């Protein structure tokens, strides 16, 4: 699972993707190449419908690759079986636009779900790890709260804790701040950046928020299914 | 509970937490499972009582083998057979004794005008026909004309009657234009068809039922020589007797046949079987409804967990966990209510409803499999949780 030394944890090459069948078949991605350096925060920007989410779901092993290649942590995703894709997802921390917390579980239990996917050994230290993660996100006083009793920003921070508690080498986030006000949105991304730097996590984040762009190590712009520009701050 | 389940499962008890998070739905599901359990318990109880009450009068007999007309299905519907068969039976090796038994029904009119139906046993008082008469001080009175003994477990008797009779108070009632003097009581136990039993001598029986002939009893009760297996004597009797009018069977075989006939051929038995099926269906449908709407409600959460890397086995585990919890927590109140109803029915209509461990265990196993099966069906909805749609 180690991200081989100075290599790229994520390497996308010649990626095409289509949606729909027959007449309605429509190409969403055209020859996308992208390499993410270890420990960096890359922001994927671009207009609506440009293919950002599609790239994210393909890297995240949530969709089968149709054409092209993605090497995730040195191993090819193209051609993998559905069961294999499920296992590969455990190497990734996902942060969604909606927090998608489980409403029946407390903050701490939700975070533990992010760890227990790694098996019984991980589960046995679940409580301590979840507490530690909530602590890092300034949520220790909310550990026992159900999502219904948390504010939007707190919920998104719990979702981040759930994504990071398993110490994933790669984190994928799609507009993680869209549901938050500007203040807490900025907070959340600063946290993500701080934890990512401390842990050497490679992060790919889709966002429209201009202030978040300032925090990125690198910005990739997409338009109409193609990568059109690259910038390093 | 959460901590205990967590240790048991080695993971967060997600199914449990999901169920308790929605108390009304959880309560409704438990009530449904409990209701189905009560329904099935009552049907099984009545079926068990039917089976048991079919056996009770046979147990009163002093016999290893019963010879009856070949077309006999139950104790009450035997056609008379020639008494000659008794003498033929006595000549068969291994037969120690043989005695006739007459059987008929009699209305016992109560002071308030209501009627109890009695099954009447007519026996030869000089011989051992009924095991229940051994050591009964009133047995001798049967030798007197128009004297009888009444089953003290007769349903809804006049209050205090049996206590008075046992204390020696004379009691008589009119039937078939004769006066029957009740000299004492026996203990047999009521069934579904009759309210109780009356034991009289063969002479009294023939006076009560003049259309019956002394030469044509309903049964011949056979006792075997000690140490001779009844099955072998049955075979010898079958060879010796004409097959077209007399069939010998061991007492146990006769009881089993009667029970099988009444539970599978008679509406009363089939109704109970039908009730069991209905109960199982009701329970399964309720559990399926609850589990599948629970899956539907959590489809986003499940999709998120799929995205995180949880496989199908995990979700199946969660739903089976929910099913097992519903089974356990629904079964216990169902069992408790059923126990109460059993006691109530036994006391109020004198039917022997008894809970056996085997019945409870069987129903628990049935409940568990129904719930888990419903859970498996409910997981089909999981296929709709597509993690790619989450972003
Ligand atoms: N499940 C789908 N079925 C069919 N077409 C799809 C599907 N998902 C995306 N598309 C199409 O693919 C193209 C790229 O979509 P994508 O969601 O990747 O864009 P995006 O850059 O994430 O947009 P936004 O900023 O609005 O989230 C769009 O034209 C979209 O309509
Ligand atoms: Mg998108």
């Amino acid at each position: 699972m180690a991200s081989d030394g100075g290599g790229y944890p994520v390497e996308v090459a010649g990626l095409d993707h289509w949606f729909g069948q027959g007449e309605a078949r429509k190409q969403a991605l055209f020859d996308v190449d992208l390499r993410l350096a270890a420990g960096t925060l890359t922001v994927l920007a671009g207009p609506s419908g440009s293919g950002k989410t599609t790239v994210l779901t393909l890297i995240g092993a949530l969709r089968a690759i149709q054409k092209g290649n993605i090497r995730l942590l040195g191993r090819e995703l193209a051609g993998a079986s559905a069961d294999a894709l499920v296992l590969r997802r455990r190497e990734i921390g996902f942060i969604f636009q909606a927090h998608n917390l489980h409403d029946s579980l407390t903050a701490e239990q939700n975070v533990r779900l992010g760890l227990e996917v790694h098996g019984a050994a991980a589960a046995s230290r679940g409580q301590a790890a979840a507490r530690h993660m909530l602590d890092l996100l300034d949520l220790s006083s909310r550990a026992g709260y159900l999502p219904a009793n948390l504010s939007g920003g707190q919920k998104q921070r719990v979702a981040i804790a759930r994504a990071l508690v398993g110490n994933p080498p790669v984190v994928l986030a799609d507009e993680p701040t869209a549901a938050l006000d500007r203040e807490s949105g900025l907070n959340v991304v600063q946290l993500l950046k701080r934890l990512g730097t401390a842990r050497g996590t490679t992060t790919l984040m889709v966002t429209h928020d201009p202030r978040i762009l300032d925090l990125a190590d690198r910005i990739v712009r997409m338009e109409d299914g193609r990568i059109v520009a690259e910038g390093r701050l | 509970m959460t901590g205990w389940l967590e240790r048991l499962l080695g993971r967060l008890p997600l199914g449990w937490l999901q169920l308790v998070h929605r108390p009304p739905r959880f309560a409704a599901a438990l009530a449904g499972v409990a209701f189905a359990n009560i329904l099935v318990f009552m049907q099984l109880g009545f079926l068990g009582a039917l089976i048991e009450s079919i056996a009770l009068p046979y147990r009163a007999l002093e016999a290893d083998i019963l010879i009856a007309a070949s077309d006999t299905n139950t104790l009450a519907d035997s056609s008379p057979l020639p008494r000659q068969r008794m003498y033929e039976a006595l000549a068969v090796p291994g037969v120690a004794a043989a005695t006739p038994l007459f059987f008929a029904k009699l209305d016992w009119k109560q002071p308030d005008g209501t009627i109890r139906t009695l099954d009447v046993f007519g026996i030869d008082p000089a011989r051992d026909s009924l095991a229940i008469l051994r050591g009964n001080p009133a047995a001798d009175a049967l030798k007197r004309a128009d004297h009888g003994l009444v089953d003290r477990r007769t349903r809804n008797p006049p209050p205090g009657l049996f206590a008075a009779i046992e204390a020696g108070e004379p009691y008589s009632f009119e039937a078939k234009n004769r006066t029957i003097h009740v000299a004492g009581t026996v203990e047999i136990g009521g069934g579904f068809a009759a309210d109780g039993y009356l034991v009289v001598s063969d002479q009294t029986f023939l006076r009560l039922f003049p259309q019956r002939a002394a030469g044509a009893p309903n049964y011949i009760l056979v006792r075997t020589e000690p140490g001779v297996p009844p099955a072998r004597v049955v075979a010898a009797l079958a060879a010796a007797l004409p097959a077209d009018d007399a069939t010998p069977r061991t007492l146990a075989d006769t009881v089993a046949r009667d029970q099988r006939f009444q539970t599978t051929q008679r509406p009363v038995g089939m109704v109970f079987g039908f009730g069991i099926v209905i109960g199982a269906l009701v329970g399964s449908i309720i559990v399926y409804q609850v589990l599948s709407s629970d899956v539907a409600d959590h489809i986003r959460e499940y999709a998120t967990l799929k995205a995180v890397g949880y496989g199908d086995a995990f979700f199946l585990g969660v739903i089976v966990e929910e099913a097992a919890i519903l089974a356990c927590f629904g079964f216990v109140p169902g069992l408790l209510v059923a126990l109460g109803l059993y006691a109530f029915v036994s006391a109020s209509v004198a039917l022997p409803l008894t809970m056996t461990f085997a019945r409870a265990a069987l129903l628990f196993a049935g409940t568990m499999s129904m719930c888990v099966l419903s859970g498996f069906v409910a997981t089909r909805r999981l296929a709709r949780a597509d993690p790619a749609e989450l972003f």
Side-chain angles (χ1 to χ4, degrees):
Chain A
M1 193 188 280
S3 50
D4 45 354
Y8 298 95
V10 176
E11 291 177 86
V12 180
L15 192 65
D16 289 345
H17 198 82
W18 291 264
F19 285 109
Q21 299 288 329
E23 289 286 298
R25 191 166 144 101
K26 176 171 165 284
Q27 190 162 3
L29 294 183
F30 299 82
D31 194 27
V32 171
D33 290 306
L34 181 66
R35 291 197 294 192
L36 303 183
T40 57
L41 169 60
T42 306
V43 159
L44 198 54
S48 185
S50 57
K52 309 182 291 296
T53 298
T54 308
V55 169
L56 228 61
T57 54
L58 285 165
I59 295 174
L62 297 174
R63 290 187 195 283
I65 293 170
Q66 295 170 346
K67 184 157 181 285
N69 296 289
I70 297 178
R71 287 179 77 79
L72 177 65
L73 302 167
R75 286 194 296 147
E76 184 58 52
L77 281 181
S81 70
D83 288 342
L85 286 182
V86 169
L87 290 178
R88 299 299 307 271
R89 288 174 204 159
R90 298 182 185 176
E91 300 163 354
I92 299 166
F94 287 99
I95 301 164
F96 307 94
Q97 181 173 334
H99 57 78
N100 290 339
L101 296 180
H102 199 300
D103 64 352
S104 310
L105 304 185
T106 63
E108 180 190 310
Q109 289 167 338
N110 265 294
V111 175
R112 281 178 51 189
L113 277 183
L115 197 63
E116 290 193 354
V117 71
H118 298 290
S124 66
R125 56 185 176 85
Q127 200 156 358
R131 291 254 169 196
H132 176 68
M133 202 64 225
L134 286 170
D135 223 23
L136 287 180
L137 289 163
D138 226 5
L139 282 167
S140 23
S141 62
R142 298 284 185 272
Y145 282 46
L146 290 174
N149 300 325
L150 296 173
S151 73
Q154 287 168 338
K155 279 188 272 210
Q156 197 56 292
R157 265 144 64 204
V158 175
I160 290 172
R162 179 180 61 192
L164 299 186
V165 68
N167 225 341
V170 174
V171 169
L172 301 176
D174 197 355
E175 303 188 50
T177 61
L180 305 179
D181 60 74
R182 302 179 66 86
E183 190 60 33
S184 36
L186 198 61
N187 251 325
V188 159
V189 179
Q190 277 167 340
L191 263 169
L192 210 50
K193 161 112 181 157
R194 181 157 54 77
L195 290 174
T197 310
R199 294 164 172 231
T201 311
T202 308
T203 307
L204 180 62
M205 184 188 297
V206 172
T207 186
H208 296 291
D209 192 330
R211 290 196 301 173
I212 292 173
L213 300 183
D214 299 341
L215 293 168
D217 297 312
R218 178 182 167 206
I219 299 167
V220 176
R221 273 197 70 81
M222 286 190 74
E223 259 166 44
D224 297 329
R226 291 184 173 80
I227 290 178
V228 292
E230 284 242 10
R232 202 181 277 272
L233 291 176
Chain B
M1 184 72 196
T2 305
W4 182 81
L5 271 176
E6 188 174 329
R7 274 191 298 282
L8 184 76
L9 296 169
R11 59 164 169 81
L12 263 182
L14 191 56
W16 163 254
L17 293 166
Q18 251 165 239
L19 284 174
V20 296
H21 187 68
R22 287 175 172 72
R25 172 182 292 173
F26 190 30
L30 292 183
V33 174
F35 173 77
N37 269 302
I38 293 166
L39 201 63
V40 174
F41 265 131
M42 292 322 285
Q43 304 300 323
L44 287 176
F46 286 125
L47 196 61
L50 173 65
I51 289 169
E52 173 68 9
S53 65
I54 289 166
L56 283 176
Y58 287 104
R59 280 191 207 133
L61 305 177
E62 182 84 72
D64 303 306
I65 294 167
L66 239 56
I67 304 174
S70 305
D71 58 358
T72 304
N73 285 317
T74 73
L75 183 67
D77 73 358
S78 64
S79 355
L81 77 170
R83 188 171 48 185
Q84 179 62 24
R85 304 291 165 254
M86 180 176 91
Y87 301 115
E88 288 165 8
L90 280 168
V92 169
V95 172
T99 169
L101 175 75
F102 293 87
F103 185 94
K105 285 188 187 301
L106 184 72
D107 286 347
W108 176 20
K109 208 159 181 193
Q110 303 291 306
D112 63 1
T114 59
I115 284 174
R116 304 284 172 273
T117 308
L118 297 179
D119 280 345
V120 185
F121 284 152
I123 58 157
D124 180 349
R127 289 194 259 178
D128 291 334
S129 305
L130 300 183
I132 45 166
L133 290 182
R134 253 181 271 136
N136 188 325
D140 237 22
L142 289 179
K143 291 182 173 141
R144 296 162 64 189
D146 293 339
H147 277 62
L149 308 178
V150 172
D151 179 12
R152 72 177 338 280
R153 285 166 67 185
T154 298
R155 217 169 286 145
N156 300 320
L161 176 66
F162 293 132
I165 290 170
E166 278 158 18
E169 220 165 282
Y171 171 80
S172 57
F173 67 93
E174 303 288 319
K176 304 257 190 189
N177 297 319
R178 306 193 70 86
T179 305
I180 295 162
H181 304 275
V182 179
T185 62
V186 288
E187 181 141 351
I188 298 178
F192 271 66
D195 295 310
Y197 295 87
L198 173 70
V199 179
V200 295
S201 71
D202 42 7
Q203 297 308 315
T204 304
F205 183 92
L206 293 168
R207 252 175 295 204
L208 277 170
F209 305 98
Q211 76 280 14
R212 295 292 304 271
N218 297 85
Y219 293 96
I220 290 156
L221 310 180
V222 175
R223 269 186 297 145
T224 55
E225 305 271 10
V228 183
R232 194 191 304 163
V233 181
V234 165
L237 282 168
L241 302 174
D244 55 332
D245 73 359
T247 307
R249 285 192 184 90
T250 62
L251 189 66
D253 276 355
T254 309
V255 172
R257 240 177 75 88
D258 191 343
Q259 290 173 333
R260 199 160 51 241
F261 179 80
Q262 296 204 43
T263 50
T264 59
Q265 307 290 313
R266 287 263 173 94
V268 61
M270 293 192 290
V271 159
F272 296 141
F274 190 62
I276 291 167
V277 173
I278 294 289
L281 270 180
V282 166
S284 310
I285 290 170
I286 292 174
V287 169
Y288 169 75
Q289 281 297 335
V290 167
L291 292 182
S292 63
S293 49
D294 198 62
V295 169
D297 284 356
H298 291 105
I299 205 83
R300 276 196 78 80
E301 284 95 333
Y302 287 152
T304 308
L305 293 177
K306 273 192 187 177
V308 168
Y310 285 97
D312 291 340
F314 172 81
F315 299 105
L316 200 59
V318 169
I319 289 162
V320 168
E321 174 194 339
E322 289 190 313
I325 288 167
L326 291 178
C328 294
F329 283 66
F331 176 80
V332 172
L335 177 66
L336 293 179
V337 172
L339 282 174
L341 286 174
Y342 274 25
F344 174 76
V345 172
S346 300
S348 57
V349 293
L351 270 180
L353 261 61
T354 45
M355 183 66 75
T356 60
F357 177 77
R359 181 180 302 162
L362 186 79
L363 194 49
F364 180 69
T367 306
M368 190 59 92
S369 5
M370 283 300 178
C371 287
V372 170
L373 200 71
S374 303
F376 269 96
V377 180
T379 53
R380 285 187 318 184
R381 284 189 165 203
L382 264 177
R384 292 216 309 254
D386 180 4
E389 299 300 324
L390 282 171
F391 280 120

